Amino acid sequence: MRIRHHVAAAVIAFAVALPTAAPAQTATAQTATAPIAVTRLGSYETGIYNKSAAEIAAFDAGTKRLFVVNGAAEAIDILDIADPKAPRMVGQVSLSAHGSGVNSVAAHGGLLAAAVTGAKKTDNGRVVFFRPDGTVLKTVEVGALPDMVVFTPDGRYALTANEGEMDDEATVDPEGSISLIDLSGGIAGDTPVRTADFRRFDGQPLPAGMRIGRRGNSFARDMEPEYIAVAPDGRTALVTLQENNAIAVVDIAAATVTEVVGLGWIDRRRVPFDPSDRDGGPRIGIWPVFGMNQPDTIAAFQRNGETFYVIANEGDSRDWKGFSEEKRVSELKLDPAAFPNAADLQKNDQIGRLRVTNQNGDTDGDGVFKELYTFGGRSFSVLDARGRMVWDSGDAFERFIAERFPGQFNAGHTGNAADDRSDDKGPEPEGIAVVAVGGVPYAFVGLERFGGMFVYSLADPRAPALVDYLTDRKFDGVPERGTAGDLGPEGMLVIPADQSPTGQVLLVVTNEVSGNTAIFEVRAR
């Protein structure tokens, strides 16, 4: 493993103007004078390109150490960040003996927890508890494919989002669930595990604005929990059901999913986007398509006594050897009444190249599509405490990129070709975190494909305001050579000021493609 260290202390934040977003289920973001400064302090570089060598991070305040999921090594890298300008690797926790892959890590009060896939991804997984020095204390069995682990604020529970993905042949499809590990007896004592599943919803009418992603699946089997945010009071958790375009509300003490909330459809006849990688560059317009928000990451925050959540609407599909829902519009038979200009629409420079699902839109099962549903919202949203959407950024991200980076618009994270991702999920917002500075919460939204982070003030959660766009990406660099800057931001971790080595809030961004962990300081100007 080649280890490189990079230190840069330049302030890279700058204020920008944002084009007006279209109406529908969106609110227009207004330009704000940047009240915060974001300084890149340092970066730990694994030198491992495009192998998920830096995915998710956790922080232990007592040792001033970061714990970073290194998928390439099936391990947790231990980084000393006592000096955030010069992070250094001081150890590694191998978890290969406990399963077939590490997905997530969390920390609370000197205890670490890692979510590990079973021997096969359809088997039950495990949570491995360990000390900051890497000593493994206990392993606990949870559901299939635990994709994320988090502690409640008081540390009483550890929760996992068990995605329950089907196998590659699509012959085994476990139920999705949320495991709740009771740590009230201490890690050395009994640690009972309860499971919040979705079986009570089987046979019930589907909540509005969500979907079953594989026709014929039961509700419980089709749900794929992705990411968890625990309310500040520790009583409730909201869980993203990414492929299903929904949010699950979990009563933690009762270990029960109390409600599933659909996130609704984006009417792309009102909220513009660019659907083609063959239309000569940025071409944001309206099209007869519905978008699915399909959030990945979710984070909770409070404002004026109310609890809110932010979600990054990345999008995802089921695409396996034995079952794939992905189709290009040009491959489908379109209903002539719904799409009278189908021949034109199915051209490559229109929406012919756009990837859509074949599991929704054929409303009567005759093989003819009356509606088209595409993956990902290309936006971020604010939800209320019950999971209802109160604001969405609409087409703001694509419009900003088109205006400021027309020559690199919708480039991917492994190459610099413009427009490359327009037919898929655009810039793909994935990671999200809320940083509080001066009593005001700010949303940091990472773009997995295009790179960089949008920063919005959440002073009014029902009308967020753009503050900055931050990026370290270098389009004149070569990704494979490590000269293109940060690529593929996957995870975001906030270190509060009272725990930070600098006494200021830190934001840690793990970049799975460039394989580095970048550390930023966030402070009031």
Side-chain angles (χ1 to χ4, degrees), residues 20-90:
T20 301
Q25 57 185 135
T26 69
T28 301
Q30 302 296 317
T31 302
T33 301
I36 58 174
V38 183
T39 304
R40 183 186 175 93
L41 297 180
S43 177
Y44 172 76
E45 311 279 339
T46 65
I48 301 173
Y49 170 72
N50 202 24
K51 292 185 178 180
S52 299
E55 293 189 87
I56 302 295
F59 177 70
D60 176 63
T63 59
K64 300 295 185 287
R65 289 179 171 181
L66 283 177
F67 297 81
V68 181
V69 172
N70 184 334
E74 294 187 20
I76 304 287
D77 292 344
I78 305 176
L79 308 183
D80 184 334
I81 64 164
D83 178 4
K85 295 181 180 180
R88 60 191 182 93
M89 183 172 172
V90 295

Side-chain angles (χ1 to χ4, degrees), residues 176-386:
S177 64
I178 298 94
S179 292
L180 299 97
I181 305 169
D182 191 341
L183 300 169
S184 58
I187 194 64
D190 189 24
T191 51
V193 181
R194 291 182 294 168
T195 300
D197 60 38
F198 295 89
R199 294 176 186 175
R200 63 183 291 240
F201 300 98
D202 282 344
Q204 301 299 314
L206 196 67
M210 69 168 294
R211 71 172 190 139
I212 295 295
R214 188 184 189 188
R215 284 194 293 266
N217 249 358
S218 69
F219 192 101
R221 196 171 301 282
D222 205 67
M223 297 302 104
E224 293 192 1
E226 189 81 24
Y227 211 91
I228 304 170
V230 179
D233 65 8
R235 299 171 62 184
T236 305
L238 262 59
V239 183
T240 57
L241 306 174
Q242 184 172 24
E243 287 81 357
N244 306 102
N245 194 46
I247 298 289
V249 181
V250 178
D251 182 321
I252 293 175
T256 301
V257 178
T258 59
E259 188 177 10
V260 176
V261 182
L263 290 171
W265 317 117
I266 305 163
D267 188 344
R268 291 297 185 183
R269 294 167 300 184
R270 302 182 67 194
V271 184
F273 78 126
D274 187 331
S276 176
D277 59 345
R278 304 284 177 85
D279 57 6
R283 190 182 173 197
I284 300 170
I286 58 174
W287 302 94
V289 173
F290 291 102
M292 299 181 285
N293 288 286
Q294 297 185 304
D296 186 330
T297 312
I298 183 170
F301 69 100
Q302 284 188 313
R303 184 64 174 163
N304 298 327
E306 289 188 81
T307 297
F308 296 91
Y309 297 82
V310 287
I311 52 175
N313 299 318
E314 178 199 19
D316 202 3
S317 65
R318 292 182 170 110
D319 184 28
W320 312 111
K321 182 172 69 174
F323 171 81
S324 177
E325 65 172 314
E326 288 189 2
K327 288 290 184 181
R328 296 193 187 273
V329 173
S330 60
E331 299 173 321
L332 299 179
K333 186 174 182 180
L334 303 185
D335 181 79
F339 302 99
N341 58 336
D344 286 332
L345 286 174
Q346 291 181 299
K347 293 177 179 177
N348 285 346
D349 63 352
Q350 303 292 306
I351 62 172
R353 295 274 301 166
L354 181 66
R355 294 189 192 274
V356 296
T357 177
N358 64 4
Q359 297 298 293
N360 306 93
D362 176 7
T363 54
D364 56 10
D366 64 353
V368 179
F369 284 77
K370 286 80 176 172
E371 297 170 340
L372 297 170
Y373 291 84
T374 191
F375 306 102
R378 310 187 184 199
S379 66
F380 91 100
S381 308
V382 181
L383 311 179
D384 66 15
R386 299 178 60 200

Side-chain angles (χ1 to χ4, degrees), residues 52 148 267 377 428 448 472 485 497 523:
S52 299
M148 192 262 187
D267 188 344
E428 287 192 36
E448 181 185 10
D472 181 61
R523 65 167 70 200

